[in-house]
Amino acid sequence: MNSDLVATIGFFDGVHRGHKFLINNVIDCAKRSGGMQSAVITFDRHPRLVLHKDFQPQLLTTADEKAERLKATGVDRCFILHFDEEMASLSAYDFMKTVLRDRLNVRKLITGYDNRFGHNRSEGFEDYVRYGHELGMEVARAEAFTLNGVQVSSSVVRSFLSAGEIRMASMCLGYNYTLTGKVVDGHHEGRKMGFPTANIEVNDKQKLVPEAGVYAVKAVTDGGARTYGGMMNIGTRPTFDGTDTTLEVNLFGFEGDIYGKTVSVMFIDRLRKERKFSSAAKLAEQLNADRDAALAILEREG
């Protein structure tokens, strides 16, 4: 017989500080129960991918990153459900009965302050409480997590990243936003100016890329063996009349061949917007200033 569970449910993209606040409520409640285990219930893909075939998600975490961060919360159990059309068709009542109660043995459900589930997401917290009473399941709602006047949510984090507000995004996440990808052949314009760059092709096309600009970053190479400070440019290289968006990182102090290797880039702060310069020499002059600014930021970060 499975253990009785105190659980919460959601997509948990980013596993940010608001999510951790909710999960900590679940963990504390399970400890006070004198026998129930804590659990997080999530899905293997964004529900809107099933409900709207043309939906293009911009995710804060890949599936593997999310699973790793959920595990690190200290919750007893983590269930990753396969979300398909059959599950999407379930009403909130049927989902609570067949999935939460009968399959997973949830005896207490703690929802996020704004969480809705079930077909068409038409029902709300009062409905869940009523269904829970019928099913022998207690339903409670956690408060919103507010930080410096900001109600932390995945959409808020996305809006900060899309505006290049890296510090605010990191504050809400509780960690540095990261992109991971393989180093591919680039245009080599940076090398000609004394700033060789690694051109990153992000592994997961659904991962959100911050707004175009120049950023102070830390980069992990060789599976975590080495960490380098650096600066990354996201954009179309307007000085060279580029058209495609590229992600190019200059690693401070790195020497050697990095092509084909996987690099994880952690965003620390934004230095400036991307702009077009009158010549490569003027751009090189700015890159020297960018490097000094990035080094100062990274030194303060430690």
Side-chain angles (χ1 to χ4, degrees), residues 30-104:
K31 288 178 179 177
R32 293 195 304 270
S33 74
M36 289 196 285
Q37 289 191 317
S38 58
V40 169
I41 301 163
T42 189
F43 307 104
D44 60 350
R45 51 182 163 167
H46 199 293
R48 285 178 64 186
L49 282 169
V50 175
L51 299 170
H52 307 286
K53 301 300 183 184
D54 59 347
F55 176 62
Q56 297 293 324
Q58 290 194 304
L59 301 181
L60 304 172
T61 43
T62 66
D64 288 344
E65 288 169 347
K66 182 172 76 170
E68 185 177 327
R69 291 195 175 278
L70 286 173
K71 183 179 178 181
T73 64
V75 71
D76 293 319
R77 310 281 299 277
C78 183
F79 299 95
I80 302 176
L81 306 181
H82 176 55
F83 195 90
D84 55 16
E85 290 182 357
E86 181 181 354
M87 184 170 287
S89 70
L90 292 176
S91 67
Y93 179 87
D94 288 338
F95 182 82
M96 290 176 69
K97 179 180 185 298
T98 61
V99 178
L100 299 186
R101 189 192 71 176
D102 296 348
R103 191 199 305 183
L104 300 180

Side-chain angles (χ1 to χ4, degrees), residues 103-265:
R103 191 199 305 183
L104 300 180
N105 219 37
V106 174
R107 289 296 173 260
K108 180 166 184 176
L109 177 68
I110 302 179
T111 71
Y113 73 97
D114 63 346
N115 189 30
R116 288 176 177 265
F117 55 85
H119 183 62
N120 289 334
R121 295 161 54 93
S122 57
E123 294 140 308
F125 177 70
E126 290 74 17
D127 299 302
Y128 308 150
V129 171
R130 187 172 72 256
Y131 301 154
H133 183 72
E134 294 176 24
L135 296 168
M137 181 190 305
E138 182 184 353
V139 180
R141 179 163 56 187
E143 297 177 2
F145 177 75
T146 303
L147 194 64
N148 292 352
V150 176
Q151 273 194 2
V152 177
S153 68
S154 299
S155 59
V156 164
V157 176
R158 289 188 201 101
S159 69
F160 283 138
L161 291 172
S162 297
E165 296 187 39
I166 297 302
R167 291 285 186 184
M168 291 297 294
S170 298
M171 182 183 75
C172 292
L173 287 169
Y175 59 89
N176 294 317
Y177 187 67
T178 302
L179 290 176
T180 298
K182 184 175 288 188
V183 178
V184 297
D185 197 23
H187 297 276
H188 307 290
E189 299 291 354
R191 184 175 298 278
K192 297 173 188 175
M193 295 182 290
F195 291 90
T197 59
N199 195 41
I200 310 295
E201 186 176 86
V202 178
N203 291 345
D204 192 327
K205 301 303 181 187
Q206 295 181 354
K207 194 87 185 276
L208 186 152
V209 174
E211 186 184 34
V214 181
Y215 296 87
V217 301
K218 291 181 181 178
V220 178
T221 63
D222 300 326
R226 293 290 305 274
T227 300
Y228 294 90
M231 56 185 184
M232 169 173 266
N233 183 81
I234 298 174
T236 58
R237 303 178 305 111
T239 302
F240 303 101
D241 297 321
T243 53
D244 297 332
T245 296
T246 59
L247 289 75
E248 299 177 87
V249 61
N250 172 237
L251 303 178
F252 302 152
F254 176 83
E255 295 180 1
D257 184 6
I258 201 172
Y259 289 109
K261 301 288 182 63
T262 296
V263 175
S264 292
V265 178

